[in-house]
Amino acid sequence: MVKLQTESSPVTVKIDSQKYWNATGIYLETGAIYTFEVKGEQFWYDATIKTDAYGYTKPWFRWAEMFRRKPNENWFSLIGNIGQSVEQEFLIGKKLEKYKVPLAGELFCYANDIPIMYFNNHGSLNLTITRLS
């Protein structure tokens, strides 16, 4: 497990859209402040729908939104999670600046999708994590 320090170089991890949980090996410390960023033009696919870390919306999918892992966030948005706890989920998207960690634990990430639909996902994103304080 890696604990980033404020003077540490940023660390980049791969987030696979087919994985229900992407363990990053990064330990986030309580009260520390981090920036998370998917740099440049990076895309992943929900079946044939190409999207970036902000995800997408489709009017004809509205009926299924309540079944997403994080129902109030876009389809395929990049979600962070501390220790695989539903209470510790947060939206990363393409960039989340100055996130203050409420509870220590390993950072996990995923593409926001319906739990049984990860089989048709393709692609990955590179997420860069920087500790600010």
Side-chain angles (χ1 to χ4, degrees):
M1 193 82 52
V2 175
K3 286 185 182 181
L4 299 177
Q5 303 302 318
T6 53
E7 65 277 356
S8 298
S9 296
V11 172
T12 301
V13 294
K14 179 180 170 182
I15 309 301
D16 186 333
S17 65
Q18 272 197 324
K19 289 186 178 178
Y20 192 82
W21 290 114
N22 284 268
T24 65
I26 305 295
Y27 185 83
L28 303 179
E29 296 185 64
T30 303
I33 298 173
Y34 299 85
T35 291
F36 305 91
E37 184 175 10
V38 177
K39 296 180 178 181
E41 296 289 315
Q42 297 185 52
F43 302 97
W44 50 9
Y45 296 82
D46 186 1
T48 60
I49 301 169
K50 180 180 178 181
T51 189
D52 63 15
Y54 286 129
Y56 68 93
T57 60
K58 296 283 186 195
W60 56 87
F61 282 169
R62 225 168 249 133
W63 64 272
E65 290 174 349
M66 66 181 165
F67 300 112
R68 289 185 295 219
R69 290 174 69 184
K70 195 146 177 66
N72 294 327
E73 301 300 345
N74 288 344
W75 292 102
F76 252 60
S77 56
L78 176 58
I79 304 296
N81 184 291
I82 301 171
Q84 298 179 350
S85 168
V86 177
E87 293 82 27
Q88 297 302 322
E89 292 179 321
F90 56 97
L91 174 65
I92 294 174
K94 279 195 65 136
K95 189 170 188 177
L96 174 59
E97 295 186 88
K98 299 179 181 175
Y99 177 74
K100 187 172 183 177
V101 175
L103 182 67
E106 182 177 1
L107 173 67
F108 290 83
C109 295
Y110 63 86
N112 194 27
D113 203 356
I114 294 173
I116 63 169
M117 295 303 293
Y118 280 79
F119 70 92
N120 71 353
N121 299 347
H122 306 283
S124 60
L125 303 174
N126 292 313
L127 175 64
T128 300
I129 304 154
T130 306
R131 182 167 176 177
L132 303 177
S133 69

